[in-house]
Amino acid sequence: MVFKVAIDILAFLLVIKGVYNISKASTVFFFSTIWMNLLVFKALDDIKLERLTTFLFKEGGDMFTGFLNIYIAYIGYELSLLLFPYVNKKTKLMKAVMYGHLIRTFFYLMLGIVSYGIAGHNLLKKMLFPLLDLLAYIKLPFIERVENLFYGFFLFTTLITLVMYYWAAGESTLRIFPKLKSSVHYFVIILCSLIVSTVPVALDQVLRVLYLLGCAQIVIAFLLPVILILLLLIQRRKVVKHG
């Protein structure tokens, strides 16, 4: 919880700076962490082709649940809807969103192939953090357990994710309580999230809560564009009717 409080303080200091400074910090964090994906090529020599043999439908369970678990990793694009008031035609927001997901898909695919080629199907079912286990393959003469060095870089991705969701929550609720100062508003949101985070006491509980919240977010991610389209159609009909 001390670590969680420290992360929330950093998130608060960044989210009160506004979306423009958040975008600049996000760009810095992106270039600070994107190179880490290339480190998996260090383990290419240990890949065995026989570990890539088919496992489709083998020991399968609920495919719908598996689909949700995978799709949750791509959730976050719906936040781009809240950026519409801050962009114009020159910004090319949707093109940036598409490029971002293409980059993410490429690295997910690359990580999946390397993970299966090294660990195999049976071992991957027992591994909780395969990426960190792959980074453990890297050896330096002056550092043992070099993967511990990368925890700080993973923190950047966690921090910017927190900030973006805090900002999105603030953008939504500021319309309900417009008289509150934004700094006070974000402080209340972060404090509420900190209180909620004290409820789970085990990693299994945390993963279960994240899964349920991810499923709810998938529903929201699909509903928000549909609602937006319906509102635009209603607005257009009113303009045509009164025009």
Side-chain angles (χ1 to χ4, degrees):
M1 291 307 300
V2 173
F3 183 74
K4 178 67 168 65
V5 170
I7 297 299
D8 282 340
I9 291 176
L10 292 175
F12 174 76
L13 293 176
L14 181 56
V15 74
I16 61 175
K17 296 297 183 179
V19 66
Y20 179 68
N21 290 302
I22 293 175
S23 64
K24 292 194 293 184
S26 178
T27 303
V28 174
F29 291 163
F30 172 80
F31 287 107
S32 300
T33 56
I34 191 65
W35 60 271
M36 295 179 59
N37 294 275
L38 302 176
L39 294 176
V40 298
F41 288 113
K42 185 72 174 180
L44 288 180
D45 295 336
D46 297 315
I47 293 180
K48 294 185 178 181
L49 295 180
E50 56 267 25
R51 296 192 182 120
L52 295 175
T53 53
T54 179
F55 53 88
L56 192 63
F57 302 124
K58 181 180 179 181
E59 302 175 5
D62 186 357
M63 292 189 63
F64 180 73
T65 301
F67 166 79
L68 292 179
N69 281 318
I70 294 175
Y71 195 80
I72 287 173
Y74 289 91
I75 284 298
Y77 60 85
E78 70 279 4
L79 296 182
S80 61
L81 297 176
L82 299 176
L83 295 173
F84 284 175
Y86 301 94
V87 299
N88 51 36
K89 294 182 179 180
K90 297 181 179 180
T91 308
K92 300 178 180 179
L93 174 63
M94 299 312 299
K95 184 179 292 186
V97 173
M98 293 298 297
Y99 285 156
H101 275 74
L102 286 175
I103 293 173
R104 180 188 295 191
T105 301
F106 170 75
F107 283 116
Y108 280 173
L109 181 62
M110 179 186 67
L111 178 61
I113 294 175
V114 174
S115 298
Y116 274 102
I118 292 178
H121 170 65
N122 292 324
L123 184 57
L124 278 178
K125 293 189 300 182
K126 303 176 182 179
M127 297 171 65
L128 188 58
F129 303 108
L131 178 58
L132 293 180
D133 293 330
L134 287 176
L135 294 178
Y137 275 80
I138 302 174
K139 304 293 182 182
L140 296 178
F142 53 90
I143 297 179
E144 293 184 2
R145 300 299 302 265
V146 70
E147 71 273 15
N148 294 327
L149 184 64
F150 301 131
Y151 289 155
F153 292 99
F154 285 122
L155 181 61
F156 290 154
T157 60
T158 303
L159 178 60
I160 197 63
T161 301
L162 278 175
V163 169
M164 286 304 300
Y165 280 111
Y166 286 149
W167 174 81
E171 286 290 297
S172 302
T173 53
L174 274 174
R175 298 179 180 274
I176 303 175
F177 306 102
K179 295 183 179 181
L180 283 178
K181 292 184 178 180
S182 60
S183 58
V184 176
H185 198 80
Y186 287 122
F187 176 80
V188 173
I189 292 175
I190 295 176
L191 180 62
C192 291
S193 70
L194 181 63
I195 295 174
V196 172
S197 66
T198 60
V199 177
V201 295
L203 183 59
D204 291 340
Q205 295 176 349
V206 174
L207 295 177
R208 180 62 180 171
V209 171
L210 291 178
Y211 173 76
L212 295 176
L213 292 177
C215 293
Q217 190 178 355
I218 291 176
V219 175
I220 294 173
F222 278 96
L223 285 181
L224 281 181
V226 173
I227 294 174
L228 179 60
I229 293 174
L230 292 176
L231 291 176
L232 290 175
L233 291 176
I234 294 174
Q235 184 179 9
R236 179 180 297 179
R237 181 173 298 180
K238 289 182 178 180
V239 172
V240 173
K241 183 178 180 180
H242 298 284

